[in-house]
């Protein structure tokens, strides 16, 4: 009665909040999780990580294909455990992605290569397998390539209204910024922030990333505007107290 | 008829635009000028300098006392030449401001002291007079202290309305920024800027300096707000052309 009923299945472009824990089928080792508790138990807790439901746009390539398939038929609040073979998860291992590079390519950037080290070379992330005379062998396969994995996933929420989506993306990029106020009106997002935050270059970049997500994933929104008060004159004390006195 | 007539004399807090050329009484050497032409003729032109009338708040200490006195009785458009003794210009020379410092105080900051070099030490600007064994002698007097100077000054304009003043301070801090739009309404300044400019830390600082000048010198303004469009969806071509077709 009066409630919008979402029609299954979910489709590309839908914006959802997920809780999940990713582990290896082999030994059960937890690799990634949105739950702070699970992270602590598994010994992979990090202070820098953000825990809590993660915002994902279906069909955007954020999730492995097997997980997307499983999600499509899920309802809000539902939990599922899915086991994915490598080809539906992070791909098979490709021996061609193990490459030999001159060591100076790393040393030129001040990196002293060691086996096991994770590096970024020519825009690709890889793990150093071994260091020889003037050469390093790097595996550019995804660290989980070739692995069978288990996702324990909960579809926390399907974001429906433009406003819900805007708030979701805002939290994704700016966190739970208590000083930010956001309004969505007539297809316009108005974001009000304290001016001093604009001194942070990271925040300016985060705002652009936020706007870019809105542009791509919330078609109802035609404009994102920032409003910031650079200066506001303090009300004179007399005025303030006389205003108080006048109040009933 | 209908024109606001400004009452003489000017008073502290008045905001004015000045053209001036400052030269030494002694030898006529031009030290500073707001005129690009004069700067070129005098051989002191700099590409980094901003030429054109300068905005000054009377009584704020921006100008030597003798020049302020002269200005007080001037009318808009009037020109005057005033000769000022040191005590009405940049002060008498104070021998106590010539100080001996350990050279390491400069070398610690990567400065190799040489006679004639201008340096800033402990927040004061000075000129190195001589460099000895482990010591430097620095003159912290104003470079024009003790000099008789000549100001050729023109009172270009007295800024009257809050809007004129706001535009004046905006140009002082942000230059002739063609992409900036400024409105003054009901005591509120609304400044609209392209979002990409906010990537510049210098601009963010300049906005704060602008707001601080407004706070101190334009009492009619109670608030300065910044508005910036982070993202705007391009109108689809069909819509745009159908809108054109619909136009009379």
């Amino acid at each position: 009665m009066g409630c919008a009923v979402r029609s299954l299945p979910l489709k590309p472009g839908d914006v959802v909040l997920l809780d999940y824990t990713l582990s290896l089928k082999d030994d059960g080792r937890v690799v990634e999780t949105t739950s702070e508790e699970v992270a602590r138990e598994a010994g992979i807790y990090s202070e820098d990580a953000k825990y809590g439901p993660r915002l994902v746009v279906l069909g955007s390539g954020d999730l492995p294909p097997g997980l997307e398939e499983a999600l499509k038929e899920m309802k809000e609040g539902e939990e599922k455990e899915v086991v994915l073979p490598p080809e539906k998860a992070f791909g098979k291992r490709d021996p061609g992605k193990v490459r030999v590079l001159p060591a100076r390519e790393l040393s030129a950037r001040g990196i002293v290569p060691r086996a096991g080290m994770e590096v970024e070379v020519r825009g690709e992330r890889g793990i150093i397998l071994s260091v020889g005379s003037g050469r390093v062998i790097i595996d550019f396969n995804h660290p989980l390539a070739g692995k069978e994995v288990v996702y324990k996933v909960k579809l926390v929420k399907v974001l429906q209204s433009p406003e819900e989506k805007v708030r979701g993306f805002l939290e994704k990029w700016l966190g739970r910024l208590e000083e930010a106020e956001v309004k969505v009106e007539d297809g316009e997002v108005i974001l009000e922030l304290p001016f001093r935050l604009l001194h942070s270059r990271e925040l300016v970049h985060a705002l652009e990333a936020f706007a870019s997500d809105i542009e791509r994933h919330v078609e109802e929104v035609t404009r994102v505007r920032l409003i910031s008060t650079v200066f506001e004159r303090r009300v004179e004390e007399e005025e303030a107290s006389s205003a108080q006195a006048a109040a009933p």
Side-chain angles (χ1 to χ4, degrees), chain A residues 127-199:
Chain A
I127 287 177
I128 298 177
L129 295 185
S130 70
V131 182
S133 55
R135 301 193 184 287
V136 286
I137 303 179
I138 303 182
D139 184 354
F140 287 103
N141 281 289
H142 188 285
L144 296 179
K147 309 272 191 198
E148 206 171 354
V149 300
V150 182
Y151 269 103
K152 207 179 148 186
V153 63
K154 179 176 179 180
L155 179 55
V156 177
K157 195 168 170 51
V158 181
L159 303 182
Q160 305 274 8
S161 69
E163 178 143 5
E164 274 180 334
K165 293 179 192 173
V166 165
R167 288 185 189 278
F169 284 112
L170 190 69
E171 199 189 314
K172 172 182 170 188
W173 288 109
L174 285 94
R176 286 178 204 273
L177 207 57
E178 274 160 31
E179 299 157 298
E181 270 180 49
V182 63
K183 267 187 289 188
V184 183
E185 269 177 18
D186 302 329
E188 183 170 83
V189 172
I190 296 172
L191 185 61
E192 196 157 349
L193 285 182
F195 184 75
R196 66 182 158 69
L197 295 182
L198 296 175
H199 282 285

Side-chain angles (χ1 to χ4, degrees), chain A residues 70-134:
Chain A
L71 279 168
K72 271 187 188 156
E73 298 305 325
M74 284 171 71
K75 290 193 286 274
E76 263 184 15
E78 195 181 339
E79 273 184 86
K80 221 182 226 179
E81 192 170 293
V82 288
V83 180
L84 303 179
E87 57 274 24
K88 296 225 163 189
F90 297 94
K92 293 186 177 172
R93 268 188 61 81
D94 174 0
K97 285 192 171 170
V98 178
R99 292 201 295 269
V100 181
L101 290 175
R104 65 180 137 69
E105 193 154 330
L106 296 175
S107 54
R109 286 183 292 140
I111 300 168
V112 181
R114 275 181 300 106
M117 193 185 243
E118 203 182 315
V119 289
E120 200 177 313
V121 185
R122 302 176 195 172
E124 279 182 290
R125 297 188 79 79
I127 287 177
I128 298 177
L129 295 185
S130 70
V131 182
S133 55

